[in-house]
Amino acid sequence: MKVTQLECLCLILLHLLHTAGSERFEVLGPTDSIVAVAGDDIILPCYLKPNISAEDMTVDWLNLDFLDSRVFRYQNHRIIREDQILFYSGRTSLFEEELWRGNTSLKLTRVQGTDEGHYKCFIQSKSWYDDFTVQVLVKVVGSKPVVSIEGHREGGMGLLCESEGWHPEPELVWLDSKGVNLSAGPPEIDKDYKGFYTVKQHVIVQETDTNHFTCRVQQSRINEKMETEIHLPSELFDYATPLRMAVIVLCCLGAVTVIGLSLAVYCIRNKKDKLTRNLDDLCNQNYELCEHKCK
Ligand SMILES: *[C@@H]1O[C@H](CO)[C@@H](O)[C@H](O)[C@H]1NC(C)=O
Ligand SMILES: *[C@@H]1O[C@H](CO)[C@@H](O)[C@H](O)[C@H]1NC(C)=O
Ligand SMILES: *[C@@H]1O[C@H](CO)[C@@H](O)[C@H](O)[C@H]1NC(C)=O
């Protein structure tokens, strides 16, 4: 059978169309998680293998830690902004000039604590789809701990330590000068709307050789720590010892009692003297009256 040139061309075209329609690809990205510093701009890498164009495909970026997980969508050659998680609005983009070579990486600007999570890059052509998930960790070192003296508490000195703006959630521990953990339990922890943590903890310390105490706030996953040391003069503790307190209180009470009693005695005496004097005066002026009354 003889094949004409036209028939041959048609066959080739058909074959091309077929392979184009069922083109398979893989979606790839980094296997290690991405550690982002809060406030920075980051790229979440994602690309097609083979490196065919993604310009005609649908590219979805999803944060799997959210129920309505849309972070970004590219479809029909344009960016779809509907149904996007609110706090990603205006912070996500693709490198559109890179789509033709299968680069569908996401750019995320001004990273915040709540951005931490698992991100899925999901790519769909007319006949195929695949996805890849990358983990993002956000780290930020909080403020240097602020230590304040709260005064005498239960026979010791009350101290408070506070540090804010951490991610991930840090640990807080009070230490004496020998490095012994003085904390009685876990710290109080608060999380703000951007996902950053504030920690604080009260502690009651007793007098030691040095009276040096340290508040340490640390996050071992990101290998960061901040600490503040405080030195308490021992007079603070002297005043606080219960026996001394009792003696001082008793002395005060004693002094008050003595002064009170003396005053009372003085007043009574004073009044009595005055009365007697008044009566004498009266008698001198009015002798007749007193003949009956006074004698
Ligand atoms: C696509 O990949 C091939 C081989 O892996 C490489 O030679 C080529 O430069 C790439 N094309 C683009 C547009 O990156
Ligand atoms: C994709 O494009 C961005 C921006 O130019 C670049 O930083 C990144 O390395 C590219 N990724 C790949 C896999 O080519
Ligand atoms: C310190 O001790 C407290 C109470 O036993 C405990 O909850 C905390 O985890 C300890 N902290 C460290 C860093 O060991």
Side-chain angles (χ1 to χ4, degrees):
M1 201 174 97
K2 202 173 171 224
V3 183
T4 65
Q5 274 188 330
L6 189 64
E7 277 171 332
C8 183
L9 196 63
C10 281
L11 274 176
I12 290 170
L13 273 178
L14 264 178
H15 178 72
L16 277 178
L17 272 177
H18 182 73
T19 47
S22 65
E23 202 146 44
R24 293 175 176 216
F25 56 82
E26 268 184 281
V27 175
L28 297 175
T31 45
D32 288 342
S33 50
I34 295 175
V35 178
V37 175
D40 280 3
D41 299 348
I42 57 167
I43 295 174
L44 308 189
C46 180
Y47 55 93
L48 298 180
K49 187 185 163 198
N51 53 7
I52 52 176
S53 170
E55 284 173 308
D56 296 324
M57 301 185 188
T58 300
V59 179
D60 272 312
W61 274 96
L62 310 165
N63 182 340
L64 300 182
D65 299 355
F66 286 81
L67 206 57
D68 299 316
S69 52
R70 174 86 50 79
V71 169
F72 189 88
R73 166 170 268 196
Y74 171 90
Q75 191 175 40
N76 298 328
H77 300 247
R78 56 190 198 90
I79 296 161
I80 312 290
R81 297 196 190 279
E82 288 84 59
D83 301 330
Q84 186 186 37
I85 300 175
L86 206 61
F87 64 81
Y88 287 108
S89 124
R91 295 198 298 128
T92 49
S93 56
L94 292 185
F95 299 96
E96 291 184 59
E97 73 284 359
E98 291 271 332
L99 285 176
W100 69 276
R101 53 165 134 196
N103 181 349
T104 54
S105 305
L106 181 81
K107 183 175 182 187
L108 176 60
T109 55
R110 300 188 304 280
V111 168
Q112 51 193 49
T114 41
D115 291 342
E116 188 160 283
H118 294 82
Y119 288 77
K120 180 184 271 192
C121 169
F122 181 80
I123 303 182
Q124 242 179 316
S125 71
K126 289 192 176 59
S127 57
W128 193 250
Y129 65 83
D130 193 19
D131 65 69
F132 185 87
T133 298
V134 55
Q135 189 183 6
V136 173
L137 299 173
V138 177
K139 78 162 190 178
V140 51
V141 181
S143 61
K144 188 173 162 64
V146 175
V147 169
S148 44
I149 302 176
E150 297 191 300
H152 306 118
R153 296 272 188 285
E154 296 165 26
M157 188 61 59
L159 301 176
L160 171 67
C161 176
E162 251 183 306
S163 173
E164 56 183 26
W166 285 85
H167 202 284
E169 186 181 311
E171 281 181 337
L172 186 157
V173 61
W174 272 103
L175 305 167
D176 67 10
S177 56
K178 294 192 184 74
V180 174
N181 176 0
L182 299 174
S183 298
E188 293 169 46
I189 296 189
D190 268 326
K191 192 178 182 181
D192 70 14
Y193 71 101
K194 283 192 166 174
F196 300 131
Y197 295 91
T198 294
V199 285
K200 67 173 171 186
Q201 189 168 48
H202 301 268
V203 75
I204 295 168
V205 297
Q206 306 297 334
E207 187 168 14
T208 69
D209 302 344
T210 59
N211 285 334
H212 277 103
F213 302 97
T214 302
C215 172
R216 177 182 294 161
V217 181
Q218 60 190 7
Q219 199 349 294
S220 38
R221 260 168 74 203
I222 60 171
N223 197 24
E224 297 284 359
K225 76 174 172 193
M226 291 279 239
E227 46 183 52
T228 298
E229 196 184 274
I230 185 171
H231 173 251
L232 299 178
S234 57
E235 296 82 67
L236 280 180
F237 289 98
D238 285 353
Y239 182 64
T241 59
L243 193 64
R244 273 289 259 279
M245 283 294 273
V247 169
I248 289 170
V249 167
L250 279 180
C251 283
C252 286
L253 276 180
V256 167
T257 315
V258 168
I259 292 170
L261 279 176
S262 324
L263 269 177
V265 168
Y266 174 78
C267 286
I268 290 166
R269 279 234 176 111
N270 210 14
K271 218 162 202 171
K272 204 173 158 201
D273 283 357
K274 229 180 196 164
L275 267 179
T276 324
R277 239 181 293 131
N278 282 351
L279 207 57
D280 287 349
D281 286 352
L282 216 62
C283 288
N284 288 342
Q285 284 162 20
N286 234 324
Y287 186 72
E288 283 170 26
L289 196 76
C290 280
E291 263 192 331
H292 312 288
K293 289 263 157 115
C294 302
K295 300 206 167 159

mmCIF file with all atom_site columns, all heavy atoms in Angstrom, residues 8 14 49 58 61 64-65 93 100 113 144 149 162 164 175 193 207 231 266 269:
data_model
loop_
_atom_site.group_PDB
_atom_site.id
_atom_site.type_symbol
_atom_site.label_atom_id
_atom_site.label_alt_id
_atom_site.label_comp_id
_atom_site.label_asym_id
_atom_site.label_entity_id
_atom_site.label_seq_id
_atom_site.pdbx_PDB_ins_code
_atom_site.Cartn_x
_atom_site.Cartn_y
_atom_site.Cartn_z
_atom_site.occupancy
_atom_site.B_iso_or_equiv
_atom_site.pdbx_formal_charge
_atom_site.auth_seq_id
_atom_site.auth_comp_id
_atom_site.auth_asym_id
_atom_site.auth_atom_id
_atom_site.pdbx_PDB_model_num
ATOM 1   N N   . CYS A 1 8   ? 0.769  10.880 5.240   1.00 0.00 ? 8   CYS A N   1
ATOM 2   C CA  . CYS A 1 8   ? 1.918  10.804 6.146   1.00 0.00 ? 8   CYS A CA  1
ATOM 3   C C   . CYS A 1 8   ? 1.920  11.982 7.120   1.00 0.00 ? 8   CYS A C   1
ATOM 4   O O   . CYS A 1 8   ? 2.085  11.817 8.336   1.00 0.00 ? 8   CYS A O   1
ATOM 5   C CB  . CYS A 1 8   ? 3.186  10.798 5.320   1.00 0.00 ? 8   CYS A CB  1
ATOM 6   S SG  . CYS A 1 8   ? 4.644  10.628 6.337   1.00 0.00 ? 8   CYS A SG  1
ATOM 7   N N   . LEU A 1 14  ? -1.292 13.677 14.017  1.00 0.00 ? 14  LEU A N   1
ATOM 8   C CA  . LEU A 1 14  ? -2.103 12.920 14.978  1.00 0.00 ? 14  LEU A CA  1
ATOM 9   C C   . LEU A 1 14  ? -1.249 12.422 16.137  1.00 0.00 ? 14  LEU A C   1
ATOM 10  O O   . LEU A 1 14  ? -1.602 12.560 17.309  1.00 0.00 ? 14  LEU A O   1
ATOM 11  C CB  . LEU A 1 14  ? -2.765 11.717 14.278  1.00 0.00 ? 14  LEU A CB  1
ATOM 12  C CG  . LEU A 1 14  ? -4.192 11.945 13.792  1.00 0.00 ? 14  LEU A CG  1
ATOM 13  C CD1 . LEU A 1 14  ? -4.702 10.690 13.082  1.00 0.00 ? 14  LEU A CD1 1
ATOM 14  C CD2 . LEU A 1 14  ? -5.105 12.313 14.960  1.00 0.00 ? 14  LEU A CD2 1
ATOM 15  N N   . LYS A 1 49  ? 9.167  18.058 35.869  1.00 0.00 ? 49  LYS A N   1
ATOM 16  C CA  . LYS A 1 49  ? 10.174 17.233 35.220  1.00 0.00 ? 49  LYS A CA  1
ATOM 17  C C   . LYS A 1 49  ? 9.435  16.285 34.275  1.00 0.00 ? 49  LYS A C   1
ATOM 18  O O   . LYS A 1 49  ? 8.588  15.540 34.766  1.00 0.00 ? 49  LYS A O   1
ATOM 19  C CB  . LYS A 1 49  ? 10.966 16.454 36.267  1.00 0.00 ? 49  LYS A CB  1
ATOM 20  C CG  . LYS A 1 49  ? 12.124 15.707 35.678  1.00 0.00 ? 49  LYS A CG  1
ATOM 21  C CD  . LYS A 1 49  ? 12.785 14.854 36.736  1.00 0.00 ? 49  LYS A CD  1
ATOM 22  C CE  . LYS A 1 49  ? 13.647 13.805 36.039  1.00 0.00 ? 49  LYS A CE  1
ATOM 23  N NZ  . LYS A 1 49  ? 13.984 12.707 36.911  1.00 0.00 ? 49  LYS A NZ  1
ATOM 24  N N   . THR A 1 58  ? -2.948 24.468 35.403  1.00 0.00 ? 58  THR A N   1
ATOM 25  C CA  . THR A 1 58  ? -3.431 25.099 36.635  1.00 0.00 ? 58  THR A CA  1
ATOM 26  C C   . THR A 1 58  ? -2.393 24.830 37.720  1.00 0.00 ? 58  THR A C   1
ATOM 27  O O   . THR A 1 58  ? -2.026 23.674 37.955  1.00 0.00 ? 58  THR A O   1
ATOM 28  C CB  . THR A 1 58  ? -4.787 24.489 37.046  1.00 0.00 ? 58  THR A CB  1
ATOM 29  O OG1 . THR A 1 58  ? -5.720 24.725 36.000  1.00 0.00 ? 58  THR A OG1 1
ATOM 30  C CG2 . THR A 1 58  ? -5.284 25.111 38.340  1.00 0.00 ? 58  THR A CG2 1
ATOM 31  N N   . TRP A 1 61  ? -1.119 26.415 44.930  1.00 0.00 ? 61  TRP A N   1
ATOM 32  C CA  . TRP A 1 61  ? -0.302 26.282 46.144  1.00 0.00 ? 61  TRP A CA  1
ATOM 33  C C   . TRP A 1 61  ? -1.264 26.276 47.322  1.00 0.00 ? 61  TRP A C   1
ATOM 34  O O   . TRP A 1 61  ? -2.100 27.161 47.458  1.00 0.00 ? 61  TRP A O   1
ATOM 35  C CB  . TRP A 1 61  ? 0.669  27.458 46.259  1.00 0.00 ? 61  TRP A CB  1
ATOM 36  C CG  . TRP A 1 61  ? 1.941  27.247 45.507  1.00 0.00 ? 61  TRP A CG  1
ATOM 37  C CD1 . TRP A 1 61  ? 2.229  27.683 44.240  1.00 0.00 ? 61  TRP A CD1 1
ATOM 38  C CD2 . TRP A 1 61  ? 3.102  26.548 45.962  1.00 0.00 ? 61  TRP A CD2 1
ATOM 39  N NE1 . TRP A 1 61  ? 3.497  27.308 43.878  1.00 0.00 ? 61  TRP A NE1 1
ATOM 40  C CE2 . TRP A 1 61  ? 4.053  26.605 44.933  1.00 0.00 ? 61  TRP A CE2 1
ATOM 41  C CE3 . TRP A 1 61  ? 3.422  25.871 47.148  1.00 0.00 ? 61  TRP A CE3 1
ATOM 42  C CZ2 . TRP A 1 61  ? 5.315  26.013 45.051  1.00 0.00 ? 61  TRP A CZ2 1
ATOM 43  C CZ3 . TRP A 1 61  ? 4.677  25.286 47.257  1.00 0.00 ? 61  TRP A CZ3 1
ATOM 44  C CH2 . TRP A 1 61  ? 5.608  25.354 46.218  1.00 0.00 ? 61  TRP A CH2 1
ATOM 45  N N   . LEU A 1 64  ? -1.505 23.014 53.755  1.00 0.00 ? 64  LEU A N   1
ATOM 46  C CA  . LEU A 1 64  ? -2.297 21.858 54.199  1.00 0.00 ? 64  LEU A CA  1
ATOM 47  C C   . LEU A 1 64  ? -2.722 21.959 55.663  1.00 0.00 ? 64  LEU A C   1
ATOM 48  O O   . LEU A 1 64  ? -3.564 21.197 56.105  1.00 0.00 ? 64  LEU A O   1
ATOM 49  C CB  . LEU A 1 64  ? -1.496 20.575 53.975  1.00 0.00 ? 64  LEU A CB  1
ATOM 50  C CG  . LEU A 1 64  ? -1.105 20.321 52.515  1.00 0.00 ? 64  LEU A CG  1
ATOM 51  C CD1 . LEU A 1 64  ? -0.359 19.012 52.389  1.00 0.00 ? 64  LEU A CD1 1
ATOM 52  C CD2 . LEU A 1 64  ? -2.336 20.317 51.612  1.00 0.00 ? 64  LEU A CD2 1
ATOM 53  N N   . ASP A 1 65  ? -2.127 22.873 56.416  1.00 0.00 ? 65  ASP A N   1
ATOM 54  C CA  . ASP A 1 65  ? -2.491 23.005 57.821  1.00 0.00 ? 65  ASP A CA  1
ATOM 55  C C   . ASP A 1 65  ? -3.772 23.817 58.004  1.00 0.00 ? 65  ASP A C   1
ATOM 56  O O   . ASP A 1 65  ? -4.232 24.019 59.118  1.00 0.00 ? 65  ASP A O   1
ATOM 57  C CB  . ASP A 1 65  ? -1.346 23.634 58.623  1.00 0.00 ? 65  ASP A CB  1
ATOM 58  C CG  . ASP A 1 65  ? -0.092 22.766 58.559  1.00 0.00 ? 65  ASP A CG  1
ATOM 59  O OD1 . ASP A 1 65  ? -0.173 21.660 57.987  1.00 0.00 ? 65  ASP A OD1 1
ATOM 60  O OD2 . ASP A 1 65  ? 0.958  23.180 59.070  1.00 0.00 ? 65  ASP A OD2 1
ATOM 61  N N   . SER A 1 93  ? 3.222  35.158 45.072  1.00 0.00 ? 93  SER A N   1
ATOM 62  C CA  . SER A 1 93  ? 3.276  35.326 43.613  1.00 0.00 ? 93  SER A CA  1
ATOM 63  C C   . SER A 1 93  ? 4.081  34.177 43.003  1.00 0.00 ? 93  SER A C   1
ATOM 64  O O   . SER A 1 93  ? 4.835  33.494 43.699  1.00 0.00 ? 93  SER A O   1
ATOM 65  C CB  . SER A 1 93  ? 3.927  36.665 43.261  1.00 0.00 ? 93  SER A CB  1
ATOM 66  O OG  . SER A 1 93  ? 5.194  36.748 43.862  1.00 0.00 ? 93  SER A OG  1
ATOM 67  N N   . TRP A 1 100 ? 7.211  29.044 31.528  1.00 0.00 ? 100 TRP A N   1
ATOM 68  C CA  . TRP A 1 100 ? 7.403  28.348 30.247  1.00 0.00 ? 100 TRP A CA  1
ATOM 69  C C   . TRP A 1 100 ? 8.426  27.234 30.358  1.00 0.00 ? 100 TRP A C   1
ATOM 70  O O   . TRP A 1 100 ? 8.441  26.304 29.583  1.00 0.00 ? 100 TRP A O   1
ATOM 71  C CB  . TRP A 1 100 ? 7.777  29.344 29.139  1.00 0.00 ? 100 TRP A CB  1
ATOM 72  C CG  . TRP A 1 100 ? 9.158  29.934 29.310  1.00 0.00 ? 100 TRP A CG  1
ATOM 73  C CD1 . TRP A 1 100 ? 9.489  30.988 30.082  1.00 0.00 ? 100 TRP A CD1 1
ATOM 74  C CD2 . TRP A 1 100 ? 10.364 29.483 28.701  1.00 0.00 ? 100 TRP A CD2 1
ATOM 75  N NE1 . TRP A 1 100 ? 10.835 31.231 30.020  1.00 0.00 ? 100 TRP A NE1 1
ATOM 76  C CE2 . TRP A 1 100 ? 11.394 30.317 29.155  1.00 0.00 ? 100 TRP A CE2 1
ATOM 77  C CE3 . TRP A 1 100 ? 10.675 28.456 27.805  1.00 0.00 ? 100 TRP A CE3 1
ATOM 78  C CZ2 . TRP A 1 100 ? 12.718 30.174 28.770  1.00 0.00 ? 100 TRP A CZ2 1
ATOM 79  C CZ3 . TRP A 1 100 ? 12.008 28.316 27.421  1.00 0.00 ? 100 TRP A CZ3 1
ATOM 80  C CH2 . TRP A 1 100 ? 13.021 29.170 27.903  1.00 0.00 ? 100 TRP A CH2 1
ATOM 81  N N   . GLY A 1 113 ? 4.848  34.176 61.638  1.00 0.00 ? 113 GLY A N   1
ATOM 82  C CA  . GLY A 1 113 ? 4.774  32.904 62.357  1.00 0.00 ? 113 GLY A CA  1
ATOM 83  C C   . GLY A 1 113 ? 3.697  31.959 61.842  1.00 0.00 ? 113 GLY A C   1
ATOM 84  O O   . GLY A 1 113 ? 3.901  30.751 61.751  1.00 0.00 ? 113 GLY A O   1
ATOM 85  N N   . LYS A 1 144 ? 15.283 40.103 74.415  1.00 0.00 ? 144 LYS A N   1
ATOM 86  C CA  . LYS A 1 144 ? 16.074 39.747 75.603  1.00 0.00 ? 144 LYS A CA  1
ATOM 87  C C   . LYS A 1 144 ? 15.121 39.733 76.796  1.00 0.00 ? 144 LYS A C   1
ATOM 88  O O   . LYS A 1 144 ? 14.311 40.655 76.949  1.00 0.00 ? 144 LYS A O   1
ATOM 89  C CB  . LYS A 1 144 ? 17.149 40.807 75.804  1.00 0.00 ? 144 LYS A CB  1
ATOM 90  C CG  . LYS A 1 144 ? 18.168 40.465 76.875  1.00 0.00 ? 144 LYS A CG  1
ATOM 91  C CD  . LYS A 1 144 ? 19.287 41.506 76.861  1.00 0.00 ? 144 LYS A CD  1
ATOM 92  C CE  . LYS A 1 144 ? 20.091 41.501 78.148  1.00 0.00 ? 144 LYS A CE  1
ATOM 93  N NZ  . LYS A 1 144 ? 20.818 40.255 78.411  1.00 0.00 ? 144 LYS A NZ  1
ATOM 94  N N   . ILE A 1 149 ? 11.717 42.670 89.841  1.00 0.00 ? 149 ILE A N   1
ATOM 95  C CA  . ILE A 1 149 ? 11.635 42.213 91.235  1.00 0.00 ? 149 ILE A CA  1
ATOM 96  C C   . ILE A 1 149 ? 10.228 42.503 91.737  1.00 0.00 ? 149 ILE A C   1
ATOM 97  O O   . ILE A 1 149 ? 9.768  43.642 91.671  1.00 0.00 ? 149 ILE A O   1
ATOM 98  C CB  . ILE A 1 149 ? 12.671 42.943 92.116  1.00 0.00 ? 149 ILE A CB  1
ATOM 99  C CG1 . ILE A 1 149 ? 14.067 42.688 91.558  1.00 0.00 ? 149 ILE A CG1 1
ATOM 100 C CG2 . ILE A 1 149 ? 12.563 42.488 93.562  1.00 0.00 ? 149 ILE A CG2 1
ATOM 101 C CD1 . ILE A 1 149 ? 15.160 43.432 92.292  1.00 0.00 ? 149 ILE A CD1 1
ATOM 102 N N   . GLU A 1 162 ? 10.125 37.901 81.569  1.00 0.00 ? 162 GLU A N   1
ATOM 103 C CA  . GLU A 1 162 ? 9.250  37.959 80.396  1.00 0.00 ? 162 GLU A CA  1
ATOM 104 C C   . GLU A 1 162 ? 10.071 38.150 79.127  1.00 0.00 ? 162 GLU A C   1
ATOM 105 O O   . GLU A 1 162 ? 11.026 38.921 79.114  1.00 0.00 ? 162 GLU A O   1
ATOM 106 C CB  . GLU A 1 162 ? 8.318  39.169 80.536  1.00 0.00 ? 162 GLU A CB  1
ATOM 107 C CG  . GLU A 1 162 ? 6.893  38.807 80.819  1.00 0.00 ? 162 GLU A CG  1
ATOM 108 C CD  . GLU A 1 162 ? 5.994  40.036 80.872  1.00 0.00 ? 162 GLU A CD  1
ATOM 109 O OE1 . GLU A 1 162 ? 6.304  40.976 81.633  1.00 0.00 ? 162 GLU A OE1 1
ATOM 110 O OE2 . GLU A 1 162 ? 4.999  40.038 80.151  1.00 0.00 ? 162 GLU A OE2 1
ATOM 111 N N   . GLU A 1 164 ? 9.342  38.295 74.640  1.00 0.00 ? 164 GLU A N   1
ATOM 112 C CA  . GLU A 1 164 ? 8.283  38.211 73.635  1.00 0.00 ? 164 GLU A CA  1
ATOM 113 C C   . GLU A 1 164 ? 8.825  38.068 72.226  1.00 0.00 ? 164 GLU A C   1
ATOM 114 O O   . GLU A 1 164 ? 10.004 38.330 71.960  1.00 0.00 ? 164 GLU A O   1
ATOM 115 C CB  . GLU A 1 164 ? 7.383  39.451 73.720  1.00 0.00 ? 164 GLU A CB  1
ATOM 116 C CG  . GLU A 1 164 ? 8.128  40.749 73.577  1.00 0.00 ? 164 GLU A CG  1
ATOM 117 C CD  . GLU A 1 164 ? 7.210  41.961 73.736  1.00 0.00 ? 164 GLU A CD  1
ATOM 118 O OE1 . GLU A 1 164 ? 6.181  41.852 74.408  1.00 0.00 ? 164 GLU A OE1 1
ATOM 119 O OE2 . GLU A 1 164 ? 7.553  43.002 73.161  1.00 0.00 ? 164 GLU A OE2 1
ATOM 120 N N   . LEU A 1 175 ? 17.428 29.899 86.552  1.00 0.00 ? 175 LEU A N   1
ATOM 121 C CA  . LEU A 1 175 ? 18.579 29.156 87.049  1.00 0.00 ? 175 LEU A CA  1
ATOM 122 C C   . LEU A 1 175 ? 19.257 29.935 88.169  1.00 0.00 ? 175 LEU A C   1
ATOM 123 O O   . LEU A 1 175 ? 19.267 31.172 88.138  1.00 0.00 ? 175 LEU A O   1
ATOM 124 C CB  . LEU A 1 175 ? 19.596 28.954 85.924  1.00 0.00 ? 175 LEU A CB  1
ATOM 125 C CG  . LEU A 1 175 ? 19.080 28.281 84.660  1.00 0.00 ? 175 LEU A CG  1
ATOM 126 C CD1 . LEU A 1 175 ? 20.075 28.435 83.529  1.00 0.00 ? 175 LEU A CD1 1
ATOM 127 C CD2 . LEU A 1 175 ? 18.789 26.814 84.913  1.00 0.00 ? 175 LEU A CD2 1
ATOM 128 N N   . TYR A 1 193 ? -1.543 37.395 67.118  1.00 0.00 ? 193 TYR A N   1
ATOM 129 C CA  . TYR A 1 193 ? -2.261 37.062 65.887  1.00 0.00 ? 193 TYR A CA  1
ATOM 130 C C   . TYR A 1 193 ? -1.328 36.745 64.723  1.00 0.00 ? 193 TYR A C   1
ATOM 131 O O   . TYR A 1 193 ? -1.734 36.137 63.746  1.00 0.00 ? 193 TYR A O   1
ATOM 132 C CB  . TYR A 1 193 ? -3.224 38.201 65.513  1.00 0.00 ? 193 TYR A CB  1
ATOM 133 C CG  . TYR A 1 193 ? -2.534 39.458 65.016  1.00 0.00 ? 193 TYR A CG  1
ATOM 134 C CD1 . TYR A 1 193 ? -2.478 39.740 63.645  1.00 0.00 ? 193 TYR A CD1 1
ATOM 135 C CD2 . TYR A 1 193 ? -1.941 40.352 65.896  1.00 0.00 ? 193 TYR A CD2 1
ATOM 136 C CE1 . TYR A 1 193 ? -1.840 40.876 63.191  1.00 0.00 ? 193 TYR A CE1 1
ATOM 137 C CE2 . TYR A 1 193 ? -1.308 41.483 65.454  1.00 0.00 ? 193 TYR A CE2 1
ATOM 138 C CZ  . TYR A 1 193 ? -1.257 41.745 64.104  1.00 0.00 ? 193 TYR A CZ  1
ATOM 139 O OH  . TYR A 1 193 ? -0.615 42.856 63.658  1.00 0.00 ? 193 TYR A OH  1
ATOM 140 N N   . GLU A 1 207 ? 17.933 33.329 99.451  1.00 0.00 ? 207 GLU A N   1
ATOM 141 C CA  . GLU A 1 207 ? 19.283 33.876 99.437  1.00 0.00 ? 207 GLU A CA  1
ATOM 142 C C   . GLU A 1 207 ? 20.315 32.770 99.174  1.00 0.00 ? 207 GLU A C   1
ATOM 143 O O   . GLU A 1 207 ? 20.187 31.660 99.692  1.00 0.00 ? 207 GLU A O   1
ATOM 144 C CB  . GLU A 1 207 ? 19.574 34.543 100.785 1.00 0.00 ? 207 GLU A CB  1
ATOM 145 C CG  . GLU A 1 207 ? 20.889 35.263 100.782 1.00 0.00 ? 207 GLU A CG  1
ATOM 146 C CD  . GLU A 1 207 ? 21.054 36.160 102.002 1.00 0.00 ? 207 GLU A CD  1
ATOM 147 O OE1 . GLU A 1 207 ? 20.279 36.007 102.960 1.00 0.00 ? 207 GLU A OE1 1
ATOM 148 O OE2 . GLU A 1 207 ? 21.952 37.013 101.967 1.00 0.00 ? 207 GLU A OE2 1
ATOM 149 N N   . HIS A 1 231 ? 21.328 40.380 89.896  1.00 0.00 ? 231 HIS A N   1
ATOM 150 C CA  . HIS A 1 231 ? 21.980 40.209 91.192  1.00 0.00 ? 231 HIS A CA  1
ATOM 151 C C   . HIS A 1 231 ? 21.136 40.925 92.239  1.00 0.00 ? 231 HIS A C   1
ATOM 152 O O   . HIS A 1 231 ? 20.805 42.104 92.080  1.00 0.00 ? 231 HIS A O   1
ATOM 153 C CB  . HIS A 1 231 ? 23.396 40.779 91.164  1.00 0.00 ? 231 HIS A CB  1
ATOM 154 C CG  . HIS A 1 231 ? 24.040 40.772 92.506  1.00 0.00 ? 231 HIS A CG  1
ATOM 155 N ND1 . HIS A 1 231 ? 24.266 41.913 93.228  1.00 0.00 ? 231 HIS A ND1 1
ATOM 156 C CD2 . HIS A 1 231 ? 24.462 39.743 93.278  1.00 0.00 ? 231 HIS A CD2 1
ATOM 157 C CE1 . HIS A 1 231 ? 24.813 41.589 94.380  1.00 0.00 ? 231 HIS A CE1 1
ATOM 158 N NE2 . HIS A 1 231 ? 24.939 40.280 94.447  1.00 0.00 ? 231 HIS A NE2 1
ATOM 159 N N   . TYR A 1 266 ? -1.062 60.847 130.404 1.00 0.00 ? 266 TYR A N   1
ATOM 160 C CA  . TYR A 1 266 ? -0.824 62.280 130.412 1.00 0.00 ? 266 TYR A CA  1
ATOM 161 C C   . TYR A 1 266 ? -2.136 63.043 130.299 1.00 0.00 ? 266 TYR A C   1
ATOM 162 O O   . TYR A 1 266 ? -2.398 63.986 131.062 1.00 0.00 ? 266 TYR A O   1
ATOM 163 C CB  . TYR A 1 266 ? 0.111  62.638 129.259 1.00 0.00 ? 266 TYR A CB  1
ATOM 164 C CG  . TYR A 1 266 ? 0.302  64.124 129.081 1.00 0.00 ? 266 TYR A CG  1
ATOM 165 C CD1 . TYR A 1 266 ? 1.165  64.832 129.926 1.00 0.00 ? 266 TYR A CD1 1
ATOM 166 C CD2 . TYR A 1 266 ? -0.389 64.824 128.091 1.00 0.00 ? 266 TYR A CD2 1
ATOM 167 C CE1 . TYR A 1 266 ? 1.338  66.180 129.776 1.00 0.00 ? 266 TYR A CE1 1
ATOM 168 C CE2 . TYR A 1 266 ? -0.223 66.172 127.940 1.00 0.00 ? 266 TYR A CE2 1
ATOM 169 C CZ  . TYR A 1 266 ? 0.646  66.854 128.782 1.00 0.00 ? 266 TYR A CZ  1
ATOM 170 O OH  . TYR A 1 266 ? 0.804  68.191 128.632 1.00 0.00 ? 266 TYR A OH  1
ATOM 171 N N   . ARG A 1 269 ? -4.306 62.819 133.498 1.00 0.00 ? 269 ARG A N   1
ATOM 172 C CA  . ARG A 1 269 ? -3.705 63.648 134.551 1.00 0.00 ? 269 ARG A CA  1
ATOM 173 C C   . ARG A 1 269 ? -4.032 65.115 134.289 1.00 0.00 ? 269 ARG A C   1
ATOM 174 O O   . ARG A 1 269 ? -4.483 65.837 135.164 1.00 0.00 ? 269 ARG A O   1
ATOM 175 C CB  . ARG A 1 269 ? -2.179 63.485 134.527 1.00 0.00 ? 269 ARG A CB  1
ATOM 176 C CG  . ARG A 1 269 ? -1.717 62.244 135.230 1.00 0.00 ? 269 ARG A CG  1
ATOM 177 C CD  . ARG A 1 269 ? -0.669 62.653 136.302 1.00 0.00 ? 269 ARG A CD  1
ATOM 178 N NE  . ARG A 1 269 ? -0.249 61.515 137.065 1.00 0.00 ? 269 ARG A NE  1
ATOM 179 C CZ  . ARG A 1 269 ? 0.978  61.001 136.988 1.00 0.00 ? 269 ARG A CZ  1
ATOM 180 N NH1 . ARG A 1 269 ? 1.882  61.537 136.204 1.00 0.00 ? 269 ARG A NH1 1
ATOM 181 N NH2 . ARG A 1 269 ? 1.283  59.971 137.746 1.00 0.00 ? 269 ARG A NH2 1
#
